[in-house]
Amino acid sequence: MCGIAGFLGIDEERLLGDMSQIIAHRGPDGAGQWSDRDAMVGLAHRRLSIIDTSDGAAQPMLSCNDRYVVVFNGEIYNFRELGVDLAARGYRFNPNSDTAVIAPLYDLEGEAMLDRLNGMFSFALWDRRRRELIIARDSFGVKPLYFIKSGGGLVFASELKALFAYSRLDLEVDLVAIGDYLTHLWSPGERTPLRSVAKLAPGHLLKARRGDVEIRRWHWSAPPVGEGGTENVGAIAGLGRVFDQVVSDQCMSDAPVGAFLSGGVDSSAIVAAMVANGHVPRRTYCVGFEGAGLEEEGFSDDLAHAREVAALLDVPLTPLLAPSPTMQDFETLVYTLDEPQADPAPLYVGAIARAARADGIKVLLGGVGGDDIFSGYRRHRAAAMRARLGGWFGAILEALPPETARVMGPASKRRIEKLHYMFAGSEQEFLIRAFEFNPRESAIACLGGEARDAIDAAPSKWLEQALMRTADWPLVERMLDLELHGFLPDHNLNYTDKASMAHGVEVRVPFLDPRLVGYARRIPWRLKIRGLSEKWALKKGLGSRLPLSVLKRRKTGFGGPVRLWLAGQTGEMVADLFASRGFRERGLFDVGGVRKAFDDLRSGRRDNSYLILAIVMTELWMKRFLDGRSTATAADRSAKRIDVAAPI
């Protein structure tokens, strides 16, 4: 796991070193650069030494024949197997480095080599003979990659903030993306907060020559199993064997390995598999919250469950108590994430990574992806209800008297309101609304007139376009496809990578191993959600090692009690931000609309907590990355670019 950056067709002497400096946190163990001024190409690498910690695995890495130069971020878990085949064909390379197989494999198979890589990665390969740059991102987007196409040239990096080192960066804000952030808490597809910057989508390949850039998809997920044989419990009989192999492979490391342990099914199953296969984690970590009222927020006590699992498996557990965040915490978070994601979860990923690094641990295994491939979210259960009952469930919701929601408590009231919103439309509308964390209309109403006009003129259509590919799939599987190719890479994986790498710690995600994703696709959705039980197949296949209390605990999010925070001191800091001169004069938001949304939240009239948080994170992103730069000349921005990386 590392950080990479580079360019092609750009003539800026300082650019490579400046980008490398900005992402130095991703690789505290070493740094390297390679450039060819005649070809106008440069590659930079920041190293986090995990597999082969010797200088023989330093990057940028030249192939033995000097034709290729590679910078690589991630891990290839099957590199030894690939290396045996390459050596038998006469290739010479460092057999202890996973990066070292990239160049000879590309030399042998070209772009087809990507299908043979089992791992998480983004990498760049320069072909010196053909003067061609190849950039690729893994199947499910575990590792991020941003790029700019500018004046016939290309600039790329592992994190968006590194691109601020480019003096000719166009700082025009993508207002459609801002609308997406307010609606979903993430921006799906290639969009970022800047119109000039794009994300290389998961499973995609970018090929560039001077003046020419081609992007294409190299990975397509297999369609799910058909509806037939849905009662065949034997479909999950081999899950434990596949899961153990995947977890064992991902424990490969020349550095100490630890694990997240929230006491939920996913992280507990991973730690249990590590122990069962002789890879006992050096230490495990769990976050708990201080104060009362968590039940109203939809949370339960993770620490109690984590302690039970740790005692059962006899592994060391470090509990971390999380206080209410300050505005300084949110300012740091928006810099870490590059994008205005409105989710407190990365605060805790960062806290765990910081603690792990202090314990000498560079690698953590986490449960990201388990919910997305085995149906663990409440919206999956809603999709199953609609698939089984059709319009009947919507009719039942409509028949409920208003008093029902009020007597069920705040959390249940919010869920019933969301179900009403989701079911009041077609299947297509149901799927789109399921991914709206804030109702689209409410989110856009908080933007200023110019932003609303821009969104009306060119609305975001990523979800609709993604759904076209799955039109004939079962409803639950269509939703899981949106999880795997949207919510997961653009939200969960994005913040997991950046919040952990901010402290020089790599997070591996066994649930997104292609073997396990493929296996999950072959399990019928009716075995994933059985009755009202989410992840039934996963619990059935892996539950023998886990306490019954963990298997039966209700689903809780990995986040924080945002509503409680906004009712307290955090809310006062937010009020000060909204009253600031900069917020008023920026013009991005409708001040009156924001004030009304905030007043409705604080009075209890409407739960706008995550909408308010999304507005806060967007405003802090503007302040951090754009203020003082939008009207600057290119020379001024070039002089200030290292300031972007200054610690907060």
Side-chain angles (χ1 to χ4, degrees):
M1 187 77 69
C2 305
I4 64 174
F7 61 79
L8 175 64
I10 303 293
D11 186 18
E12 286 196 16
E13 186 176 346
R14 292 178 50 192
L15 178 57
L16 203 59
D18 288 353
M19 289 195 294
S20 176
Q21 180 62 32
I22 291 172
I23 59 172
H25 53 274
R26 296 187 67 91
D29 299 331
Q33 296 178 34
W34 179 91
S35 62
D36 181 337
R37 296 199 66 177
D38 179 58
M40 296 179 68
V41 62
L43 300 174
H45 185 260
R46 283 284 174 168
R47 187 181 184 193
L48 181 63
S49 302
I50 292 174
I51 295 176
D52 189 356
T53 59
S54 73
D55 291 342
Q59 300 180 46
M61 184 178 290
L62 272 70
S63 61
C64 290
N65 60 8
D66 284 342
R67 174 175 174 176
Y68 305 102
V69 188
V70 176
V71 286
F72 178 84
N73 170 32
E75 307 288 359
I76 304 298
Y77 302 118
N78 63 336
F79 82 94
R80 296 192 187 279
E81 172 190 335
L82 295 171
V84 169
D85 181 42
L86 289 168
R89 294 172 182 268
Y91 285 96
R92 295 184 299 110
F93 54 91
N94 176 2
N96 299 315
S97 166
D98 58 340
T99 303
V101 304
I102 299 296
L105 197 60
Y106 182 79
D107 186 76
L108 178 66
E109 300 186 6
E111 299 168 18
M113 55 87 76
L114 292 166
D115 288 316
R116 296 188 64 189
L117 300 180
N118 179 1
M120 54 181 187
F121 57 81
S122 60
F123 70 81
L125 178 148
W126 172 247
D127 184 337
R128 301 174 73 182
R129 184 181 303 169
R130 299 187 64 184
R131 293 202 167 196
E132 187 173 71
L133 182 68
I134 306 297
I135 301 175
R137 192 175 177 201
D138 64 67
S139 306
F140 306 115
V142 182
K143 308 318 300 166
L145 199 288
Y146 297 85
F147 68 93
I148 306 166
K149 291 187 288 185
S150 175
L154 179 80
V155 187
F156 68 90
S158 293
E159 297 186 4
L160 187 154
K161 54 181 159 282
L163 301 181
F164 279 82
Y166 179 47
S167 66
R168 293 188 289 277
L169 175 64
D170 185 345
L171 297 175
E172 182 181 356
V173 173
D174 188 333
L175 297 174
V176 176
I178 297 301
D180 285 337
Y181 287 116
L182 299 185
T183 303
H184 305 295
L185 312 187
W186 48 284
S187 184
E190 296 182 357
R191 291 186 183 275
T192 76
L194 294 179
R195 292 192 64 180
S196 60
V197 179
K199 294 174 282 189
L200 183 63
H204 278 66
L205 169 79
L206 183 153
K207 183 182 292 187
R209 293 189 174 192
R210 290 276 296 276
D212 183 31
V213 174
E214 172 193 353
I215 299 174
R216 70 173 184 83
R217 189 169 193 158
W218 66 267
H219 172 81
W220 293 90
S221 295
V225 71
E227 294 272 15
T230 56
E231 297 306 317
N232 181 16
V233 180
I236 60 176
L239 179 57
R241 174 185 52 79
V242 175
F243 188 77
D244 279 1
Q245 185 62 60
V246 165
V247 172
S248 183
D249 289 350
Q250 295 204 15
C251 287
M252 171 190 66
S253 174
D254 294 325
V257 178
F260 288 77
L261 182 57
S262 69
V265 172
D266 300 336
S267 63
S268 299
I270 288 172
V271 174
M274 293 173 74
V275 172
N277 291 279
H279 302 289
V280 179
R282 172 75 65 88
R283 184 160 288 277
T284 63
Y285 300 87
C286 180
V287 169
F289 299 103
E290 297 176 338
L294 291 180
E295 288 293 328
E296 293 184 3
E297 288 280 325
F299 292 91
S300 63
D301 187 2
D302 279 355
L303 281 177
H305 292 282
R307 287 189 174 107
E308 182 181 7
V309 174
L312 175 68
L313 300 176
D314 192 24
V315 296
L317 173 69
T318 296
L320 302 169
L321 289 177
S324 297
T326 65
M327 192 59 69
Q328 179 80 25
D329 292 327
F330 287 126
E331 290 171 353
T332 301
L333 185 61
V334 80
Y335 177 74
T336 297
L337 299 184
D338 292 333
E339 303 180 51
Q341 291 183 253
D343 192 328
L347 289 170
Y348 310 121
V349 173
I352 288 173
R354 186 187 305 114
R357 186 73 192 199
D359 291 335
I361 295 173
K362 293 183 181 181
V363 181
L364 293 170
L365 269 61
V368 178
D371 289 318
D372 306 82
I373 67 172
F374 283 106
S375 301
Y377 295 130
R378 280 186 288 269
R379 56 178 172 253
H380 302 159
R381 189 166 61 190
M385 290 177 181
R386 179 162 184 143
R388 291 185 175 116
L389 302 176
W392 285 102
F393 189 73
I396 293 170
L397 286 173
E398 290 297 328
L400 289 175
E403 295 78 12
T404 304
R406 288 197 291 268
V407 301
M408 294 179 69
S412 295
K413 179 177 182 291
R414 289 191 298 270
R415 291 165 190 162
I416 289 177
E417 289 174 349
K418 179 63 181 284
L419 285 173
H420 269 288
Y421 179 63
M422 290 167 60
F423 274 85
S426 65
E427 180 175 296
Q428 177 103 339
E429 290 169 325
F430 173 90
L431 289 165
I432 292 171
R433 291 174 178 179
F435 287 89
E436 291 182 5
F437 214 98
N438 299 306
R440 184 76 170 176
E441 184 177 334
S442 300
I444 302 305
C446 289
L447 288 168
E450 181 183 346
R452 290 199 300 269
D453 290 344
I455 293 170
D456 287 341
S460 176
K461 292 292 186 181
W462 187 90
L463 290 172
E464 290 91 333
Q465 292 167 357
L467 285 168
M468 291 173 62
R469 187 175 76 91
T470 64
D472 59 346
W473 291 14
L475 181 62
V476 174
E477 296 292 357
R478 299 187 75 191
M479 185 173 283
L480 292 180
D481 192 70
L482 289 179
E483 304 282 6
L484 193 61
H485 297 105
F487 175 75
L488 188 59
D490 293 325
H491 187 64
N492 278 6
L493 290 172
N494 187 51
Y495 75 64
T496 298
D497 171 85
K498 292 172 186 171
S500 59
M501 289 300 288
H503 303 282
V505 172
E506 168 182 295
V507 175
R508 298 178 179 178
V509 285
F511 279 102
L512 295 180
D513 184 288
R515 292 167 293 180
L516 197 53
V517 174
Y519 199 96
R521 286 273 183 169
R522 295 193 294 273
I523 297 176
W525 71 266
R526 293 180 187 272
L527 292 180
K528 294 171 183 171
I529 302 178
R530 191 151 177 152
L532 297 178
S533 177
E534 301 108 338
K535 292 197 288 197
W536 185 86
L538 181 68
K539 295 172 184 176
K540 189 77 173 175
L542 305 179
S544 61
R545 295 171 178 162
L546 304 180
L548 189 61
S549 59
V550 169
L551 296 174
K552 289 188 173 296
R553 69 177 295 201
R554 64 185 178 85
K555 171 67 181 174
T556 61
F558 181 58
V562 175
R563 298 167 187 90
L564 291 177
W565 295 340
L566 291 175
Q569 185 177 2
T570 302
E572 297 304 317
M573 293 184 288
V574 169
D576 291 341
L577 179 69
F578 291 165
S580 68
R581 179 178 176 180
F583 184 79
R584 295 194 309 272
E585 293 183 350
R586 191 182 307 284
L588 177 63
F589 293 102
D590 181 287
V591 175
V594 172
R595 184 178 296 117
K596 182 180 185 306
F598 196 33
D599 289 344
D600 285 348
L601 168 66
R602 303 187 89 180
S603 67
R605 288 190 296 269
R606 187 165 187 170
D607 178 23
N608 291 321
S609 52
Y610 277 86
L611 176 57
I612 295 301
L613 181 58
I615 294 170
V616 168
M617 295 300 284
T618 302
E619 171 64 12
L620 293 179
W621 188 90
M622 296 283 182
K623 290 179 63 177
R624 185 67 177 96
F625 288 101
L626 299 188
D627 280 4
R629 294 182 174 84
S630 58
T631 59
T633 65
D636 290 336
R637 290 200 300 271
S638 179
K640 293 178 181 179
R641 53 193 163 182
I642 290 301
D643 179 60
V644 178
I648 298 173

